[in-house]
Amino acid sequence: MVKDIFVVSSTGGHYVEAQILTRFFSSRCMYIISNKNLFRANGFERGKDVKVVFHGVKGFKLFLNFFEFFYLYLVYRPRLVISTGASVAFPSFIVAKIFGIKTVFVESITRVRSPSKTARLVYRISDRFFVFSGELVTEFAKAEVLVSID
Amino acid sequence: MHQFDRLNEYVLKIVSIIDPAECIYQYGHSPIPQGISKVKASSFLTEIEFRAAIQSADLFVTHAGAGNILQGLEVGLVPLVVPRRPELQEHLDAHQLELTEFLQKKNFLINLEDMDWVNCDFSNFVKSQRGDGKSYLESIGTRFFQMLNMENYL
């Protein structure tokens, strides 16, 4: 199966949410995980479906992320990038825009009353922007409510 | 990194009530738990170890991290959670409280902070075969798939 969808997230909850969201088309997905803690990432089924990039929040590692995504997009040519956060969504979307790849952001299910910093950061560069809470739509006009949790 | 000493107290209390045959405890950045017998404690399990542990568990006590709760629901557990509170420096913000509130309303989990310790029966929280939580998560997956499909994103 061609891996034409990139699913970008950090480890932990963001990755679990990404798996839940993409469960019905996971065979088409390449999962890109930022290795917040290498020792935990060691347990991942690293291989042809999972790639690990630096965990860049700011500074040098975030800077490196841009090159990593540039390389990954160049090699794998995905047609869609989906991210559930956290900060790794930002470089992945910026580079996706350069390549003309569509971007989809899904705010975490934990964000009921106030959005994450990442959501604010990537809102403008997301082609589709999903939230779980109607309260967040007031802040993000184009947001689509995936499943209402209010 | 945030410590979460409060969870230890809850775990101690539950273990003393139900006296489990085996207990696996991942304590993260908190101090090594003391005073719990039959405990296999480690700071962090790998992803694969964690999945195996919740797969075979009957009871699941956890902080209100989305990853833990969602994985617990996936395998049919009723997570017994203690949300991390920012005012106690247990996390950066209140997102664990928000997640707990909403999943509590849906009856998918129990907030141990609201527990009636006198009248509680832990057998109610043993892994259920109802799969309510699991089918709820499946419905989220279905919806996402449909919404992307609608505008030919897939």
Side-chain angles (χ1 to χ4, degrees):
Chain A
M1 189 65 130
V2 180
K3 305 285 177 190
D4 59 346
I5 301 169
F6 268 27
V7 182
V8 179
S9 74
S10 58
T11 53
H14 293 284
Y15 179 53
V16 175
E17 287 188 49
Q19 285 178 307
I20 286 167
L21 289 163
T22 57
R23 69 200 309 158
F24 295 113
F25 51 95
S26 60
S27 59
R28 289 170 58 187
C29 295
M30 171 90 82
Y31 294 87
I32 317 291
I33 301 164
S34 66
N35 52 346
K36 187 173 187 176
N37 294 291
L38 251 182
F39 58 93
R40 263 191 280 178
N42 280 341
F44 281 121
E45 55 277 30
R46 236 199 263 214
K48 59 183 192 332
D49 298 350
V50 179
K51 303 276 176 224
V52 180
V53 296
F54 282 104
H55 182 64
V57 178
K58 54 187 171 187
F60 185 60
K61 282 185 183 170
L62 188 65
F63 179 69
L64 281 179
N65 279 159
F66 287 96
F67 291 98
E68 287 177 306
F69 283 107
F70 198 87
Y71 170 77
L72 288 169
Y73 293 158
L74 206 59
V75 172
Y76 294 97
R77 300 277 170 180
R79 48 183 292 272
L80 181 65
V81 177
I82 299 170
S83 183
T84 52
S87 52
V88 69
F90 183 63
S92 73
F93 278 18
I94 291 279
V95 183
K97 285 282 134 187
I98 297 169
F99 279 80
I101 303 165
K102 290 248 186 276
T103 55
V104 175
F105 184 75
V106 186
E107 174 67 311
S108 169
I109 192 168
T110 66
R111 300 292 169 173
V112 182
R113 286 191 281 273
S114 56
S116 62
K117 278 186 202 156
T118 308
R120 291 208 173 98
L121 206 56
V122 302
Y123 177 64
R124 284 163 185 277
I125 50 173
S126 305
D127 292 301
R128 300 279 291 273
F129 189 88
F130 292 98
V131 295
F132 282 92
S133 165
E135 271 187 58
L136 299 183
V137 179
T138 50
E139 184 156 350
F140 303 115
K142 74 174 177 200
E144 299 170 73
V145 181
L146 193 57
V147 175
S148 179
I149 59 174
D150 305 317
Chain B
M1 289 302 171
H2 300 273
Q3 280 192 209
F4 193 33
D5 301 18
R6 236 161 20 100
L7 187 65
N8 288 4
E9 298 161 25
Y10 285 97
V11 173
L12 265 176
K13 203 163 176 176
I14 292 169
V15 168
S16 71
I17 295 171
I18 61 169
D19 190 25
E22 194 192 0
C23 172
I24 299 174
Y25 193 163
Q26 172 180 273
Y27 55 85
H29 297 289
S30 305
I32 299 170
Q34 303 291 336
I36 307 176
S37 59
K38 301 174 207 159
V39 169
K40 275 199 278 183
S42 51
S43 57
F44 284 102
L45 301 168
T46 65
E47 195 66 24
I48 290 164
E49 287 167 344
F50 181 79
R51 279 178 196 211
I54 59 167
Q55 197 66 250
S56 58
D58 293 316
L59 213 62
F60 183 37
V61 184
T62 176
H63 75 155
N68 285 11
I69 291 175
L70 298 177
Q71 287 187 75
L73 293 177
E74 285 269 19
V75 297
L77 287 160
V78 182
L80 306 177
V81 313
V82 186
R84 290 176 185 255
R85 290 178 175 275
E87 68 269 25
L88 301 173
Q89 281 75 51
E90 291 167 344
H91 215 312
L92 296 170
D93 57 31
H95 76 266
Q96 289 206 351
L97 277 167
E98 294 182 18
L99 180 70
T100 303
E101 271 173 34
F102 131 70
L103 288 173
Q104 203 176 9
K105 266 190 259 168
K106 289 199 171 286
N107 270 329
F108 289 153
L109 55 73
I110 305 294
N111 183 351
L112 287 174
E113 290 179 341
D114 305 337
M115 183 71 124
D116 173 4
W117 293 96
V118 182
N119 301 312
C120 69
D121 179 2
F122 280 96
S123 62
N124 292 336
F125 315 132
V126 167
K127 186 180 279 184
S128 73
Q129 300 306 317
R130 293 176 301 152
D132 299 359
K134 189 176 165 54
S135 56
Y136 179 70
L137 298 183
E138 268 172 18
S139 73
I140 291 175
T142 308
R143 180 107 173 105
F144 188 56
F145 179 75
Q146 287 168 343
M147 286 178 88
L148 288 183
N149 239 347
M150 251 188 278
E151 289 180 36
N152 296 323
Y153 269 64
L154 292 178

